[in-house]
């Protein structure tokens, strides 16, 4: 037997090749089946935008605060929900009204609001517990994620805006 | 000739095929047992009497009266919420909307959301809420009624918590549960309406429950 094997290597090649092709196919099939059984999970982890350590700290804290205070309604991915809660990711209102957004995070908002041409009209409750720096962190997250790259929103700017919310057009 | 190499190749191939079949079998739908029936039960003579949802009468977002008869020969999913809630309700509604999308063309399934803040959540407000959510009132009923009736049915029929508590963020304590009710008014499943995985399980169980009725 063993002798034969060494004496007839040429005949072996074809047999081995077809057998190994078959095996390859079977393993490929198994791999496909294995993946078919496994529930697919999309990778939601995003790369941290580049910037100074201070910027990154604001961004990371801002994301945590967004998930705690905002995402229930506006959703983790910022899409909002139907005509109940407006989107904050793709949102002409957020793009154009940074100071008003800083104010409404703390003071809430009521009345009609047009976002991307759609009218929203539910009350957003105020969150008075949020400090100036926390609002700066949320704003930094909001303005540097979902295709926005506007850099850090400084706490000094936030404090200035918050002290004059009455005068800011909503 | 090279029998040994040959046979070991086929042995490996056979083994691979076998494991492939096992994997395939594990993917395939098994014969599933019926869903559990929740709550206490009593045996009366030869019959087992199960816990059922008590009689109710509420008003929905179209001012229509909603009673047990509204869900006659239907499977339905019930929950408790209020429109001004910022904590778990928006997540529950996001998840219930997924359920709605999956059953909206299925005449056998309905959804029933009770407000636990009927003083604030008037018919008009519920109408606006449902309209903004973009759902049809004959499939998804948002109901209001007397606070006492709603809290009572929540606790004694659906085993869901609903309490007013001024110490809470929005003034209420309530559970985020979704309850699956069968055509005999029995609870057949309880799910966390704030968790996507649990709501996936609910959608699977709706299909399972429908199959149970097909067999009959």
């Amino acid at each position: 037997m063993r002798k034969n094997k060494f004496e007839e290597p040429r005949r072996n090649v074809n047999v081995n090749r077809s057998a190994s092709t078959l095996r390859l196919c079977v393993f490929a099939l198994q791999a496909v089946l294995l993946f078919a059984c496994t529930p697919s999970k999309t990778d939601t982890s995003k790369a941290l935008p580049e910037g100074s350590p201070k910027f990154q700290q604001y961004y990371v804290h801002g994301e945590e605060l967004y998930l705690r205070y905002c995402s229930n309604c506006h959703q983790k991915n910022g899409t909002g929900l139907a005509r109940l809660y407006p989107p904050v990711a793709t949102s002409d209102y957020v793009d154009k009204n940074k100071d008003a957004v800083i104010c409404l995070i703390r003071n809430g908002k009521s009345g009609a609001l047009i976002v991307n041409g759609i009218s929203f009209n539910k009350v957003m409750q105020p969150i008075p517990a949020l400090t100036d720096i926390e609002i700066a962190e949320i704003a930094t997250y909001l303005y540097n994620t979902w295709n926005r790259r506007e850099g850090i929103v400084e706490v000094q700017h936030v404090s200035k805006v918050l002290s004059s919310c009455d005068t800011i057009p909503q | 000739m090279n029998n040994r190499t040959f046979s070991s190749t086929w042995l490996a191939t056979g083994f691979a095929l076998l494991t492939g079949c096992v994997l395939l079998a594990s993917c395939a739908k098994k014969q599933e047992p019926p869903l559990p029936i929740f709550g206490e039960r009593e045996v009366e003579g030869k019959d087992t009497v199960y816990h059922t949802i008590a009689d109710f009468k509420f008003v929905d977002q179209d001012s229509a009266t909603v009673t047990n008869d509204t869900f006659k020969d239907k499977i339905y999913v019930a929950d408790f919420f209020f429109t001004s809630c910022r904590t778990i309700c928006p997540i529950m509604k996001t998840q219930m909307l997924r359920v709605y999308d999956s059953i909206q063309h299925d005449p056998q399934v309905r959804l029933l959301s009770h407000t636990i803040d009927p003083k604030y959540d008037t018919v008009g407000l519920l109408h606006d809420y449902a309209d903004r959510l973009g759902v049809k009132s004959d499939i998804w009923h948002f109901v209001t009624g007397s606070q006492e009736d709603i809290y009572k049915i929540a606790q004694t029929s659906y085993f869901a918590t609903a309490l007013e508590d001024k110490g809470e963020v929005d003034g209420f304590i309530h559970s985020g549960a979704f309850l699956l009710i069968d055509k005999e008014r029995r609870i057949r499943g309880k799910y966390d309406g704030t968790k996507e995985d649990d709501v996936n399980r609910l959608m699977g169980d709706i299909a399972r429950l429908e199959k149970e009725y097909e067999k009959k």
Side-chain angles (χ1 to χ4, degrees), chain A residues 12 19 30 37 72 75 83, chain B residues 2 9 19 27 87 94 131-132:
Chain A
N12 250 334
Q30 275 181 302
C37 287
N72 285 0
Q75 311 291 321
R83 285 184 293 120
Chain B
N2 53 332
T9 304
T19 49
C27 275
T87 51
T94 305
D131 179 53
R132 290 185 173 279

Side-chain angles (χ1 to χ4, degrees), chain B:
Chain B
M1 41 153 265
N2 53 332
N3 268 345
R4 189 167 161 180
T5 326
F6 196 72
S7 64
S8 70
T9 304
W10 281 106
L11 202 69
T13 312
F15 179 73
L17 269 170
L18 191 72
T19 49
C21 288
V22 169
L23 276 170
L24 193 67
S26 68
C27 275
K29 282 253 159 82
K30 285 175 208 141
Q31 189 67 33
E32 285 169 320
L35 290 171
I37 297 168
F38 285 61
E40 286 183 14
R41 58 198 63 186
E42 285 168 20
V43 179
E44 287 180 6
K46 284 182 182 173
D47 295 326
T48 307
V49 179
Y50 294 97
H51 170 84
T52 53
I53 305 301
D55 287 342
F56 60 81
K57 190 178 177 184
F58 297 120
V59 177
D60 77 2
Q61 69 265 41
D62 287 351
S63 301
T65 304
V66 171
T67 67
N68 312 72
D69 275 349
T70 311
F71 305 103
K72 193 173 162 52
D73 293 325
K74 311 267 182 213
I75 291 163
Y76 71 96
V77 182
D79 76 344
F80 296 84
F81 87 116
F82 55 109
T83 65
S84 59
C85 153
R86 308 170 276 185
T87 51
I88 59 172
C89 315
I91 307 174
M92 289 164 69
K93 288 293 155 280
T94 305
Q95 293 302 323
M96 194 65 103
L97 193 59
R98 290 177 57 225
V99 180
Y100 176 88
D101 287 340
S102 75
I103 59 98
Q104 60 171 320
H105 301 298
D106 185 340
Q108 284 197 73
V109 189
R110 295 289 179 261
L111 308 176
L112 173 62
S113 290
H114 308 73
T115 177
I116 57 163
D117 186 11
K119 282 176 219 155
Y120 182 81
D121 288 337
T122 57
V123 167
L125 223 143
L126 291 175
H127 183 87
D128 179 63
Y129 192 90
D131 179 53
R132 290 185 173 279
L133 209 50
V135 301
K136 289 186 190 148
S137 53
D138 56 338
I139 296 169
W140 188 348
H141 300 272
F142 288 85
V143 298
T144 184
S146 89
Q147 184 158 321
E148 196 188 330
D149 288 351
I150 293 168
Y151 286 20
K152 192 178 167 199
I153 203 154
Q155 272 155 26
T156 60
S157 279
Y158 294 102
F159 306 132
T161 312
L163 293 166
E164 197 166 350
D165 184 340
K166 298 288 178 226
E168 279 297 303
V169 181
D170 291 318
F172 295 92
I173 296 176
H174 71 118
S175 93
F178 289 173
L179 292 313
L180 177 62
I181 313 300
D182 71 11
K183 295 178 184 178
E184 284 77 38
R185 300 190 189 183
R186 300 173 303 189
I187 303 175
R188 304 299 296 275
K190 189 173 181 176
Y191 315 85
D192 185 338
T194 65
K195 300 217 161 60
E196 196 177 327
D197 284 354
D198 234 30
V199 175
N200 290 342
R201 187 164 66 84
L202 163 63
M203 294 193 287
D205 283 357
I206 290 172
R208 260 175 84 179
L209 191 52
E210 288 187 304
K211 281 219 183 76
E212 284 182 30
Y213 285 106
E214 277 169 25
K215 282 179 208 155
K216 282 176 186 170

Side-chain angles (χ1 to χ4, degrees), chain A residues 52-66:
Chain A
S52 66
K54 184 184 168 189
F55 165 81
Q56 297 202 332
Q57 190 187 322
Y58 271 46
Y59 183 91
V60 171
H61 282 170
E63 183 173 23
E64 284 171 15
L65 292 163
Y66 177 83

Side-chain angles (χ1 to χ4, degrees), chain A residues 142-161:
Chain A
L142 197 56
Y143 285 98
N144 289 280
T145 187
W146 303 313
N147 298 321
R148 295 191 189 97
R149 292 288 177 271
E150 298 193 18
I152 192 164
V153 178
E154 296 284 357
V155 66
Q156 291 84 354
H157 175 71
V158 168
S159 296
K160 203 177 101 196
V161 171

